[in-house]
Amino acid sequence: MKILVIGSGGREHALAWRLSQSPKVSRIFVAPGNAGTATEEGLENIPLTHIPDLVAFAQKENIAFTIVGPEAPLALGIVDQFRQVGLRIFGPTQKAAQLESSKDFAKQFMKRHAIPTAASETFTDPTLAHAYITQHGAPIVIKADGLAAGKGVVVAMDEVQAHAAIDHMLVDNRMGTAGARVVIEAFLEGEEASFIVLSDGRNALALATSQDHKRLKDGDQGPNTGGMGAYSPAPVITPALHAKVMREIIMPTLNGMQKEGLPYTGFLYAGLMISPTGELNTLEFNCRMGDPETQPILMRLKSDLVDLIEQALDGKLHETQAQWDSRVALGIVLAAHGYPDHPRQGDVIKALPANSEEAHVFHAGTTLKNTQIQVSGGRVLCVTALGHNVQTAKKIAYAVADHIHFDGLQMRRDIGHRAIDRK
Ligand code: AMP
Ligand code: GLY
């Protein structure tokens, strides 16, 4: 069978690579893909991004099913458009994708269904928003309602910062329509983890847990990024907490969406905050897998990913289990000069090591120019390795990453520190 993967990041490279290992697969197309998906055995890039073109391609090529990596096409209704012409596609409809595309929708939904999350209020009027901040004080969190490519959240440690964020979004309209409405919510303390499931609308199959590193610099310093590294499993998610997440967050979400007439199909990612006393809260929903969480999660997946997706498309996840490698997987992001604000393009990537059973270099912002691989985006590569514990996985991943060079390369040296400190 032929499968289409939509997107061009490290997440999509990992999805396409894992899918390509299924004996059922003849070819994986990646639209538009990157230099990694252009050169990986069994994968082929197609230079399409417009939804009607993708629909036409899937029809012409007789694609068995399509998987959507990023949130933007989901929010534009790619799933609705594929389904309208009878094409199989794994993801939420445009309306169900509001769990990610509107923070206000997600917060109201969580309140309606008693899903644990920080107390919040939504504002379009800056005067009322400023008054709310004055009343509640700092630290406090301001979130743009719409999709903002990871730039929509301000964790304000003092009131000056909080008021400035309101002016930035509601007065100066610096984030356009995404910031024309804001959610202001209580600051939560604790440890974050990523909890991702497959959903067929009724049933959920949990993927392995993971943790991301959102700040640019070691020790969780510097600006927020899309993620500078991740590992799986996340030891903070004990078996008891895992059961609690399924019971208090995932199942109430799927049941609630179904009751509201918006059955949720696709990957569902709950960003969790676990307080020092074990209190559980939902920071956000994403309607897709995480990047870079996908890379270590899929390194550990032993089941056939094609089977899992087909079971989900057929509504049979209650009959499905996934097998995981007992090793730890850890991925290190190599980012471009100037990332996250002004990533530089065009730097030449030298000496890419060969992939092995225990280490894989997933591409993100890379492009093939003649025979050279060049930097074309902020997060460039994600070196992901398996090891018998987190220290070993870390050692192997850094040994590979240290062989890679391009001008201006940025990477953290402490990926995995939470899991290591815990031991
Ligand atoms: P979000 O996109 O909502 O997950 O927010 C991005 C990041 O902001 C999260 O990964 C957290 O690090 C931080 N954050 C979001 N909401 C809160 C909150 N209520 N309290 C503390 N930090 C938060
Ligand atoms: N790594 C965080 C995300 O994908 O949203």
PDB file of all heavy atoms in Angstrom, residues 11 212 214 226-227 269 284 286 288-293, ligand 2:
ATOM      1  N   ARG A  11       9.164  15.331  13.228  1.00  0.00           N
ATOM      2  CA  ARG A  11       8.034  14.444  13.547  1.00  0.00           C
ATOM      3  C   ARG A  11       7.596  13.662  12.306  1.00  0.00           C
ATOM      4  O   ARG A  11       7.396  12.441  12.360  1.00  0.00           O
ATOM      5  CB  ARG A  11       6.883  15.316  14.056  1.00  0.00           C
ATOM      6  CG  ARG A  11       5.532  14.643  14.117  1.00  0.00           C
ATOM      7  CD  ARG A  11       4.459  15.635  14.568  1.00  0.00           C
ATOM      8  NE  ARG A  11       4.508  16.863  13.805  1.00  0.00           N
ATOM      9  CZ  ARG A  11       4.176  18.056  14.270  1.00  0.00           C
ATOM     10  NH1 ARG A  11       3.730  18.196  15.492  1.00  0.00           N
ATOM     11  NH2 ARG A  11       4.267  19.113  13.505  1.00  0.00           N
ATOM     12  N   ASP A 212       9.626  16.838  27.105  1.00  0.00           N
ATOM     13  CA  ASP A 212      10.229  17.753  26.145  1.00  0.00           C
ATOM     14  C   ASP A 212      11.094  18.744  26.931  1.00  0.00           C
ATOM     15  O   ASP A 212      10.976  18.841  28.151  1.00  0.00           O
ATOM     16  CB  ASP A 212       9.038  18.469  25.471  1.00  0.00           C
ATOM     17  CG  ASP A 212       9.428  19.430  24.389  1.00  0.00           C
ATOM     18  OD1 ASP A 212      10.576  19.403  23.946  1.00  0.00           O
ATOM     19  OD2 ASP A 212       8.556  20.230  23.989  1.00  0.00           O
ATOM     20  N   LYS A 214      11.663  22.706  26.624  1.00  0.00           N
ATOM     21  CA  LYS A 214      11.147  23.805  25.794  1.00  0.00           C
ATOM     22  C   LYS A 214      12.110  24.989  25.674  1.00  0.00           C
ATOM     23  O   LYS A 214      12.063  25.725  24.699  1.00  0.00           O
ATOM     24  CB  LYS A 214       9.806  24.286  26.356  1.00  0.00           C
ATOM     25  CG  LYS A 214       8.710  23.234  26.171  1.00  0.00           C
ATOM     26  CD  LYS A 214       7.365  23.860  25.869  1.00  0.00           C
ATOM     27  CE  LYS A 214       6.423  22.879  25.191  1.00  0.00           C
ATOM     28  NZ  LYS A 214       5.600  22.079  26.082  1.00  0.00           N
ATOM     29  N   GLY A 226      10.217  25.482  20.128  1.00  0.00           N
ATOM     30  CA  GLY A 226       9.305  24.377  19.826  1.00  0.00           C
ATOM     31  C   GLY A 226       9.685  23.122  20.582  1.00  0.00           C
ATOM     32  O   GLY A 226       8.889  22.188  20.694  1.00  0.00           O
ATOM     33  N   GLY A 227      10.906  23.079  21.098  1.00  0.00           N
ATOM     34  CA  GLY A 227      11.403  21.898  21.812  1.00  0.00           C
ATOM     35  C   GLY A 227      12.823  21.599  21.382  1.00  0.00           C
ATOM     36  O   GLY A 227      13.106  21.529  20.199  1.00  0.00           O
ATOM     37  N   TYR A 269      -2.826  15.003  22.072  1.00  0.00           N
ATOM     38  CA  TYR A 269      -1.658  15.245  22.930  1.00  0.00           C
ATOM     39  C   TYR A 269      -2.126  16.120  24.081  1.00  0.00           C
ATOM     40  O   TYR A 269      -2.579  17.244  23.866  1.00  0.00           O
ATOM     41  CB  TYR A 269      -0.613  15.946  22.065  1.00  0.00           C
ATOM     42  CG  TYR A 269       0.600  16.595  22.692  1.00  0.00           C
ATOM     43  CD1 TYR A 269       1.795  16.633  21.982  1.00  0.00           C
ATOM     44  CD2 TYR A 269       0.589  17.215  23.946  1.00  0.00           C
ATOM     45  CE1 TYR A 269       2.925  17.251  22.492  1.00  0.00           C
ATOM     46  CE2 TYR A 269       1.713  17.832  24.468  1.00  0.00           C
ATOM     47  CZ  TYR A 269       2.876  17.849  23.733  1.00  0.00           C
ATOM     48  OH  TYR A 269       3.983  18.477  24.246  1.00  0.00           O
ATOM     49  N   GLU A 284      -2.578  22.094  28.172  1.00  0.00           N
ATOM     50  CA  GLU A 284      -3.056  22.363  26.812  1.00  0.00           C
ATOM     51  C   GLU A 284      -3.370  21.045  26.139  1.00  0.00           C
ATOM     52  O   GLU A 284      -2.939  19.981  26.589  1.00  0.00           O
ATOM     53  CB  GLU A 284      -1.959  23.066  25.996  1.00  0.00           C
ATOM     54  CG  GLU A 284      -0.717  22.201  25.845  1.00  0.00           C
ATOM     55  CD  GLU A 284       0.248  22.631  24.751  1.00  0.00           C
ATOM     56  OE1 GLU A 284      -0.132  23.440  23.902  1.00  0.00           O
ATOM     57  OE2 GLU A 284       1.376  22.125  24.751  1.00  0.00           O
ATOM     58  N   ASN A 286      -2.986  19.384  22.189  1.00  0.00           N
ATOM     59  CA  ASN A 286      -2.577  19.525  20.802  1.00  0.00           C
ATOM     60  C   ASN A 286      -3.285  18.429  20.023  1.00  0.00           C
ATOM     61  O   ASN A 286      -3.510  17.338  20.547  1.00  0.00           O
ATOM     62  CB  ASN A 286      -1.059  19.368  20.651  1.00  0.00           C
ATOM     63  CG  ASN A 286      -0.319  20.510  21.331  1.00  0.00           C
ATOM     64  OD1 ASN A 286      -0.698  21.674  21.190  1.00  0.00           O
ATOM     65  ND2 ASN A 286       0.710  20.195  22.085  1.00  0.00           N
ATOM     66  N   ARG A 288      -2.281  16.706  17.506  1.00  0.00           N
ATOM     67  CA  ARG A 288      -1.222  16.092  16.686  1.00  0.00           C
ATOM     68  C   ARG A 288      -0.213  15.482  17.634  1.00  0.00           C
ATOM     69  O   ARG A 288      -0.324  15.658  18.845  1.00  0.00           O
ATOM     70  CB  ARG A 288      -0.545  17.201  15.876  1.00  0.00           C
ATOM     71  CG  ARG A 288      -0.173  18.339  16.847  1.00  0.00           C
ATOM     72  CD  ARG A 288       0.640  19.425  16.270  1.00  0.00           C
ATOM     73  NE  ARG A 288       0.849  20.492  17.233  1.00  0.00           N
ATOM     74  CZ  ARG A 288       1.734  20.483  18.227  1.00  0.00           C
ATOM     75  NH1 ARG A 288       2.538  19.444  18.381  1.00  0.00           N
ATOM     76  NH2 ARG A 288       1.825  21.482  19.064  1.00  0.00           N
ATOM     77  N   MET A 289       0.792  14.821  17.083  1.00  0.00           N
ATOM     78  CA  MET A 289       1.882  14.353  17.943  1.00  0.00           C
ATOM     79  C   MET A 289       2.805  15.528  18.263  1.00  0.00           C
ATOM     80  O   MET A 289       2.761  16.566  17.608  1.00  0.00           O
ATOM     81  CB  MET A 289       2.660  13.234  17.264  1.00  0.00           C
ATOM     82  CG  MET A 289       1.878  11.926  17.238  1.00  0.00           C
ATOM     83  SD  MET A 289       2.902  10.523  16.776  1.00  0.00           S
ATOM     84  CE  MET A 289       3.827  10.197  18.275  1.00  0.00           C
ATOM     85  N   GLY A 290       3.652  15.380  19.250  1.00  0.00           N
ATOM     86  CA  GLY A 290       4.599  16.432  19.602  1.00  0.00           C
ATOM     87  C   GLY A 290       5.852  16.339  18.750  1.00  0.00           C
ATOM     88  O   GLY A 290       6.208  15.273  18.247  1.00  0.00           O
ATOM     89  N   ASP A 291       6.517  17.461  18.591  1.00  0.00           N
ATOM     90  CA  ASP A 291       7.818  17.485  17.937  1.00  0.00           C
ATOM     91  C   ASP A 291       8.747  18.232  18.884  1.00  0.00           C
ATOM     92  O   ASP A 291       8.464  19.397  19.191  1.00  0.00           O
ATOM     93  CB  ASP A 291       7.705  18.200  16.588  1.00  0.00           C
ATOM     94  CG  ASP A 291       8.967  18.024  15.747  1.00  0.00           C
ATOM     95  OD1 ASP A 291      10.030  17.728  16.315  1.00  0.00           O
ATOM     96  OD2 ASP A 291       8.878  18.206  14.520  1.00  0.00           O
ATOM     97  N   PRO A 292       9.774  17.639  19.481  1.00  0.00           N
ATOM     98  CA  PRO A 292      10.439  16.395  19.089  1.00  0.00           C
ATOM     99  C   PRO A 292       9.997  15.121  19.811  1.00  0.00           C
ATOM    100  O   PRO A 292      10.646  14.087  19.649  1.00  0.00           O
ATOM    101  CB  PRO A 292      11.893  16.698  19.448  1.00  0.00           C
ATOM    102  CG  PRO A 292      11.804  17.532  20.690  1.00  0.00           C
ATOM    103  CD  PRO A 292      10.573  18.382  20.493  1.00  0.00           C
ATOM    104  N   GLU A 293       8.893  15.104  20.583  1.00  0.00           N
ATOM    105  CA  GLU A 293       8.536  13.894  21.321  1.00  0.00           C
ATOM    106  C   GLU A 293       8.360  12.671  20.412  1.00  0.00           C
ATOM    107  O   GLU A 293       8.675  11.534  20.799  1.00  0.00           O
ATOM    108  CB  GLU A 293       7.233  14.110  22.104  1.00  0.00           C
ATOM    109  CG  GLU A 293       7.346  15.084  23.258  1.00  0.00           C
ATOM    110  CD  GLU A 293       6.908  16.492  22.875  1.00  0.00           C
ATOM    111  OE1 GLU A 293       7.225  16.936  21.749  1.00  0.00           O
ATOM    112  OE2 GLU A 293       6.256  17.155  23.700  1.00  0.00           O
TER     113      GLU A 293
HETATM  114  N1  GLY B   2       7.178  19.778  21.664  1.00  0.00           N
HETATM  115  C1  GLY B   2       5.958  20.409  21.952  1.00  0.00           C
HETATM  116  C2  GLY B   2       4.948  20.332  20.904  1.00  0.00           C
HETATM  117  O1  GLY B   2       5.072  19.630  19.942  1.00  0.00           O
HETATM  118  O2  GLY B   2       3.944  21.026  21.027  1.00  0.00           O
END
